[in-house]
Amino acid sequence: MHIRPIHHGDAARLAVLLEQLGFPSTEREVRQRLDYWLGDRASALLGADDEGTLVGMAALHVTPLLEVTGKFGRLAALVVDEAVRGRGAGRMLIGAAENRARAAGCLFIEVNSSNHRFPAHQFYESLGFTDSREDSRRFVLPLQPS
Ligand SMILES: CC(C)(COP(=O)(O)OP(=O)(O)OC[C@H]1O[C@@H](n2cnc3c(N)ncnc32)[C@H](O)[C@@H]1OP(=O)(O)O)[C@@H](O)C(=O)NCCC(=O)NCCS
């Protein structure tokens, strides 16, 4: 197993992984998303490759901070194929995201994780993330297309 950048050729496997994450997507839709992800210099799509098969992915976006000097990394998506969970792919993906974020000048990485993803919360805590829900709330403003 090794970590490598995701490319357009991964669209079909990425669609499988996104479905397992709870977001069924067609290969065509994934290709469209790859267009903007791969074209964004502040973003990185990291893949876990097991003998030529994409078995996991982490999506990282680097955001500049203004209130302090530095940036932070947002983990926008993380999933490992059900068939290989518990074998260290998730840990490797987080390690690679950490390295990427540190190199980009990030002070920390944050991730939003829905309440129903309890096993993922244990995963994050085992890797050193702390649950900050007591400190902050998350507000969302849906936007209509212009
Ligand atoms: C969360 C997820 C990415 C973890 O990937 P993984 O490859 O199974 O995790 P790893 O094998 O690298 O586990 C690393 C550590 O996390 C912990 N961990 C992993 N899964 C866990 C679970 N279900 N319950 C408790 N701890 C867990 C273990 O302590 C493990 O350490 P160990 O290797 O010393 O045992 C994977 O389970 C997944 O894709 N889940 C569904 C999608 C999801 O919830 N994504 C997160 C969205 S916010």
Side-chain angles (χ1 to χ4, degrees):
M1 186 107 60
H2 67 280
I3 304 300
R4 62 162 175 82
I6 282 178
H7 48 74
H8 276 95
D10 293 315
R13 279 294 302 161
L14 210 42
V16 172
L17 293 173
L18 288 171
E19 174 150 26
Q20 290 186 15
L21 187 60
F23 296 91
S25 310
T26 65
E27 188 178 333
R28 187 159 178 269
E29 288 169 328
V30 173
R31 278 184 196 286
Q32 288 168 346
R33 292 174 211 163
L34 285 175
D35 283 344
Y36 53 73
W37 266 92
L38 298 178
D40 181 357
R41 288 173 54 206
S43 297
L45 283 182
L46 304 165
D49 187 309
D50 190 19
E51 297 185 356
T53 302
L54 186 76
V55 295
M57 65 82 63
L60 177 77
H61 182 71
V62 173
T63 303
L65 288 161
L66 188 59
E67 64 274 31
V68 294
T69 304
K71 303 173 186 177
F72 74 97
R74 172 178 290 279
L75 196 59
L78 174 74
V79 60
V80 167
D81 193 311
E82 289 159 359
V84 302
R85 284 183 195 163
R87 281 179 39 197
R91 182 190 291 276
M92 287 176 71
L93 284 163
I94 294 293
E98 256 183 82
N99 290 340
R100 191 67 174 249
R102 203 178 288 110
C106 293
L107 305 177
F108 59 90
I109 294 180
E110 68 169 31
V111 57
N112 289 321
S113 186
S114 303
N115 288 332
H116 74 273
R117 297 193 192 277
F118 182 65
H121 304 169
Q122 293 179 303
F123 164 81
Y124 290 124
E125 288 186 338
S126 80
L127 296 186
F129 287 70
T130 53
D131 183 350
S132 68
R133 75 185 145 172
E134 302 298 330
D135 307 334
S136 62
R137 304 279 292 271
R138 178 169 180 250
F139 297 91
V140 177
L141 177 65
L143 298 177
Q144 301 301 323
S146 50

